[in-house]
Amino acid sequence: MSAPSAFFAAPHSGFDSLRGFLWWVPRAAVLGTLAFVIFGPLANLLIWTVAERWYFPHALPIDYGFSYWGRVFAPRGNAVQSLIASISIALFTVAGSLALAIPAGYALARLKLPLRGLVLLAFLLPQAFPNLPVYVNIARLFYEIGLNGTVLGVVLVHVTHGLVYAVWIASAAFSAVDRDLELAARNLGASGLKGFADVTLPLAAPGLMASAIFVFLESLDEFTGSYFVGAPDVTTLPLLLYSAGAGGNYQIASITALLLLVPSIAFMLVVEKFLRADVLAKVGQ
């Protein structure tokens, strides 16, 4: 390279470097802020789980330890029983929701219903109103028929919320299955029920699995309905978390929240594996 060329090339290269640096500064600031918003509360949660003493103005705990873990998992801590109750209720909720969502989702995907959009919209109604007055009235009704304070009553409340995910995703999963495959099974002599069981249902299984996981997570984290319908006879992990937080037991509340967080993260990873793009494209159609 000649001397004049090198003279003009060097400033230009320096300007590109400066422009690249100035381009990355706002992006790094945005990403750093986003990471702090997401992982900051999680880091604070993890610190509280091992904090023995922590109060203002100290930025970090004064003493660390695991004594609160022993209190949470002690027989009188009620955490294990609450976790078992939460998982059991969530599994019953998944079973009830899928039992209703599979035929409903198949009908919405295959039948030419005149008010299909309104039917899908109707499943959103439980989310359209404030939960508090709805659950107060449900609790009063369940008390009159003997369902208040029972696992069945809590499951029924959870199912009303779970159907939103179950029906919409089930309908999308069945819509993503090629109808010609069902017709081919019928031409080969299979009955309608056998064609559904052997062809349609296995192909829609990933979407149904994803809907089941969403329903499970919704039930596992549900607080308001469980409180008004189940408490104090049915104690779930969110109720235990609320009681600990309201009483100022932040260590116990943080440990309980961590117990809820672990299955949520695990199941969301499973959702990412099962929920395909073609199923997502059919949601609401």
Side-chain angles (χ1 to χ4, degrees), residues 274-282:
F274 280 102
L275 198 58
R276 308 188 308 268
D278 57 340
V279 174
L280 286 173
K282 296 290 184 178

Side-chain angles (χ1 to χ4, degrees), residues 93-152:
T93 302
V94 168
S97 297
L98 289 183
L100 297 173
I102 289 177
Y106 183 81
L108 291 169
R110 290 291 186 257
L111 302 181
K112 295 181 179 181
L113 300 177
L115 300 177
R116 180 179 181 275
L118 291 178
V119 174
L120 284 172
L121 186 62
F123 286 101
L124 293 176
L125 289 179
Q127 305 287 349
F129 299 98
N131 289 336
L132 191 58
V134 173
Y135 287 138
V136 168
N137 285 279
I138 290 177
R140 181 184 61 82
L141 176 63
F142 279 12
Y143 181 80
E144 293 178 356
I145 62 178
L147 286 177
N148 205 57
T150 65
V151 172
L152 178 59

Side-chain angles (χ1 to χ4, degrees), residues 149-238:
T150 65
V151 172
L152 178 59
V154 176
V155 169
L156 290 176
V157 171
H158 288 197
V159 167
T160 60
H161 276 271
L163 282 177
V164 176
Y165 302 103
V167 172
W168 277 64
I169 299 179
S171 175
F174 286 122
S175 297
V177 177
D178 191 351
R179 189 174 300 185
D180 291 338
L181 298 175
E182 296 182 38
L183 297 177
R186 296 292 297 272
N187 291 334
L188 292 175
S191 63
L193 183 60
K194 186 171 179 59
F196 172 79
D198 293 345
V199 177
T200 308
L201 192 60
L203 291 175
L208 297 177
M209 178 66 71
S211 69
I213 294 171
F214 275 113
V215 172
F216 184 90
L217 294 177
E218 173 73 15
S219 175
L220 194 66
D221 294 334
E222 171 61 34
F223 166 75
T224 310
S226 302
Y227 178 77
F228 282 99
V229 176
D233 301 300
V234 180
T235 303
T236 61
L237 212 55

Side-chain angles (χ1 to χ4, degrees), residues 249-266:
N249 299 319
Y250 299 121
Q251 290 90 339
I252 295 178
S254 299
I255 295 171
T256 307
L258 188 62
L259 294 178
L260 279 172
L261 186 63
V262 171
S264 298
I265 294 176

Side-chain angles (χ1 to χ4, degrees), residues 37-52:
V37 171
I38 295 175
F39 297 106
L42 294 178
N44 185 71
L45 174 70
L46 292 175
I47 293 175
W48 268 113
T49 60
V50 293
E52 294 291 330

